[in-house]
């Protein structure tokens, strides 16, 4: 059974940091582009970052560039999102997404940035 | 960034009737390899999104054949031939021809 399980979300003050993790199982993780997509409460979807299977390519949207970093550990089937200098507008459910001929989504982890 | 504009944003439909959602792109989605990376996603209430359609018109595994996609260049359409109660949710178009990948605003389908 394919599973993507996100963890690491929670309440953090503006300017703080969080590290999200996504544990993958049931598919060949190391062959998939991996992605983070977020959804602010009651709003639409926004692509945040992606990383190639071999970790050579990694990109993030301008709104998080310089603050968020995506990485992966293919030996452990783990995807990460290091989030620094968090802002109120980063409040969202963060989804892990495996992209290939088929796609797999996690259930998401909620990040709330508030004082 | 590529802007995807969906219409309508709200779509009340009687069960058994057809439904259609438009997605227009601010620029061509034809990639240098000749493919058009336009996708459709469904997000049911309280659930994660799931992909329905890839590269304009190809249904993902397990997607009922009442869902179909069409279009080219900058104009695309998702059609549901006969809406069922389980189709309630928000539908998004998405492109990954250009970085950053972008989604449309979403169309909320509800049952009348």
């Amino acid at each position: 059974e394919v599973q993507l399980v996100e963890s690491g979300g929670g309440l953090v003050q503006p300017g703080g940091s969080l590290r999200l993790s996504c544990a993958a199982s049931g598919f060949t993780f190391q062959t998939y582009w991996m992605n983070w997509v977020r959804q602010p409460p009651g709003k639409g979807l926004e692509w945040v970052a992606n990383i190639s299977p071999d970790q050579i390519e990694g990109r993030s949207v301008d709104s998080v560039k310089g603050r968020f970093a995506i990485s992966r550990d293919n030996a452990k089937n783990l995807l990460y999102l290091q989030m620094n200098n968090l802002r109120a507008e980063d409040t969202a459910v963060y989804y892990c997404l495996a992209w290939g001929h088929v796609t797999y989504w996690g259930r998401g982890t909620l990040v709330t940035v508030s004082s | 960034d590529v802007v995807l504009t969906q219409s309508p944003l709200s779509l009340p439909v009687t069960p058994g009737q057809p439904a259609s959602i438009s997605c227009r792109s601010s620029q061509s989605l034809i990639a240098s390899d000749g493919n058009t990376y336009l996708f459709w996603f469904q997000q049911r209430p309280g659930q994660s999104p799931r992909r329905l359609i890839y590269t304009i018109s190809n249904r993902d595994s397990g997607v009922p054949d009442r869902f179909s996609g069409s279009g080219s260049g900058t104009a695309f359409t998702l059609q549901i031939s006969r809406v069922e109660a389980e189709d309630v949710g928000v539908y998004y178009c998405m492109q990954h021809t250009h970085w950053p990948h972008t989604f449309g605003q979403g169309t909320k389908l509800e049952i009348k």
Side-chain angles (χ1 to χ4, degrees):
Chain A
E1 180 195 3
V2 170
Q3 281 197 313
L4 288 172
V5 180
E6 301 93 339
S7 60
L11 174 63
V12 61
Q13 291 188 337
S17 298
L18 281 176
R19 188 195 199 199
L20 304 185
S21 299
C22 171
S25 60
F27 67 102
T28 50
F29 176 80
Q30 59 268 37
T31 66
Y32 278 70
W33 277 81
M34 293 301 298
N35 310 266
W36 290 99
V37 174
R38 67 183 178 184
Q39 186 169 37
K43 296 189 177 180
L45 300 166
E46 180 187 24
W47 210 284
V48 175
N50 67 3
I51 187 167
S52 60
D54 57 8
Q55 307 172 63
I56 292 176
E57 284 186 70
R59 296 176 293 188
S60 57
V61 295
D62 284 350
S63 60
V64 307
K65 203 164 289 184
R67 301 188 298 123
F68 290 12
I70 188 171
S71 62
R72 65 192 294 166
D73 185 335
N74 285 343
K76 296 181 179 178
N77 287 1
L78 288 168
L79 175 72
Y80 302 103
L81 186 67
Q82 178 66 44
M83 305 187 295
N84 299 326
N85 192 19
L86 282 158
R87 305 169 180 167
E89 55 265 35
D90 297 319
T91 293
V93 173
Y94 284 73
Y95 293 102
C96 171
L97 165 60
W99 187 275
H101 188 65
V102 295
T103 61
Y104 305 113
W105 291 76
R107 291 177 161 262
T109 186
L110 176 61
V111 172
T112 303
V113 185
S114 175
S115 54
Chain B
D1 297 1
V2 173
V3 176
L4 297 179
T5 302
Q6 291 184 226
S7 62
L9 299 184
S10 179
L11 184 56
V13 184
T14 300
Q17 293 300 300
S20 180
I21 301 170
S22 168
C23 176
R24 292 190 175 272
S25 174
S26 61
Q27 55 186 278
S28 174
L29 298 184
I30 302 173
S32 55
D33 63 7
N35 290 316
T36 300
Y37 295 105
L38 186 283
F39 307 83
W40 288 96
F41 290 82
Q42 176 196 60
Q43 187 174 31
R44 290 173 170 151
Q47 295 188 13
S48 303
R50 71 155 172 160
R51 198 176 70 188
L52 298 175
I53 301 286
Y54 61 94
T55 49
I56 302 179
S57 59
N58 300 283
R59 272 189 306 276
D60 274 274
S61 176
V63 175
D65 61 8
R66 64 178 181 275
F67 289 91
S68 63
S70 62
S72 64
T74 61
F76 306 92
T77 302
L78 176 70
Q79 293 184 303
I80 310 173
S81 58
R82 296 172 305 280
V83 170
E84 297 186 6
E86 67 177 18
D87 299 336
V88 164
V90 181
Y91 292 80
Y92 298 91
C93 57
M94 175 244 145
Q95 66 81 26
H96 80 63
T97 297
H98 305 283
W99 182 259
H101 306 332
T102 50
F103 289 92
Q105 322 97 298
T107 294
K108 186 173 185 178
L109 186 149
E110 62 179 29
I111 298 296
K112 279 184 182 175

